Amino acid sequence: MISLGAFVTSALCLLLLLAAVVDIWKLRIPNLFPIAILLLFPLWVYHAGWTPTLWQNAVLLLATFLGGALIFSRGWLGGGDVKLLAATALWFDFKGAAALFLFVAVGGALLSIVFILLRRIVPARLTREGNIPSLKARGPIPYGVAIAGGALLAVLSGQISPQPIPWYLRPLRIGATTIQSDSAASIMISWARDWIPSVE
């Protein structure tokens, strides 16, 4: 049976892939994708466990959305791209976001080169009559592909925050505070010390 963590990460990756495909096909990303990515995050937190550093995730969501809105106002990025990037940024802390933004930036540069080459290779008649606007000459670049690809690389390289707490470090008593409870690992170490005779 698939675990909750595997289900959530698989769903996240599938949403990113579908958003990239739709962006290539239609040059727009429906709100369904960023909303679904946002709604998946609480499930991930439930699986991984609450951590005090989650404020970083919230700050990144807000900062990415505001920064993206500014870029959108200049006409450099689409509204769907901004929402997808902001929703994805929620899944990372400051350290993980550095990898995310690096992957997206490099992916965007490579994507631009690929589409420039594709538009030169594909016959002009097909691009004029076809239903894929991203292949038309001087058309916009589907930057959602770079965002989705960069996010997938960041997810698969383990940059998501919070990371799941190993079972042997989790408190044994549900609801107990950190001071009141010991991890399974510390208890086992304590037992071992009690049972191993001291060497004089």
Side-chain angles (χ1 to χ4, degrees):
M1 185 175 178
I2 188 170
S3 68
L4 177 61
F7 168 77
V8 173
T9 51
S10 298
L12 174 61
C13 291
L14 180 60
L15 286 168
L16 290 167
L17 285 171
L18 289 175
V21 171
V22 172
D23 197 27
I24 292 174
W25 194 259
K26 299 292 184 184
L27 268 180
R28 80 181 190 85
I29 301 173
N31 290 332
L32 167 68
F33 293 107
I35 290 173
I37 289 171
L38 287 174
L39 292 177
L40 272 177
F41 186 66
L43 283 177
W44 176 256
V45 173
Y46 175 79
H47 162 72
W50 178 267
T51 173
T53 61
L54 279 172
W55 66 268
Q56 296 182 15
N57 301 58
V59 167
L60 280 165
L61 167 65
L62 183 60
T64 305
F65 182 78
L66 293 176
L70 177 62
I71 295 173
F72 171 73
S73 68
R74 305 272 179 123
W76 297 340
L77 206 60
D81 299 331
V82 171
K83 287 179 274 190
L84 181 65
L85 183 58
T88 305
L90 175 65
W91 288 71
F92 301 91
D93 58 11
F94 292 162
K95 181 180 177 183
L100 169 68
F101 294 138
L102 175 63
F103 292 151
V104 170
V106 172
L110 294 175
L111 185 72
S112 300
I113 295 170
V114 167
F115 271 87
I116 288 171
L117 293 174
L118 277 176
R119 289 167 182 174
R120 291 178 181 272
I121 295 170
V122 176
R125 180 179 59 83
L126 292 178
T127 57
R128 283 195 305 268
E129 299 173 1
N131 293 323
I132 304 179
S134 59
L135 290 179
K136 293 184 177 179
R138 299 183 181 180
I141 301 292
Y143 205 77
V145 176
I147 295 170
L152 280 170
L153 283 175
V155 169
L156 296 176
S157 62
Q159 301 296 327
I160 290 179
S161 177
Q163 285 293 311
I165 302 171
W167 64 269
Y168 53 83
L169 293 179
R170 293 183 180 179
L172 293 179
R173 295 191 298 277
I174 297 174
T177 64
T178 306
I179 296 175
Q180 294 171 334
S181 62
D182 293 321
S183 67
S186 63
I187 290 175
M188 287 189 288
I189 291 171
S190 176
W191 285 346
R193 287 175 178 167
D194 292 339
W195 282 97
I196 296 175
S198 59
V199 179
E200 297 295 339

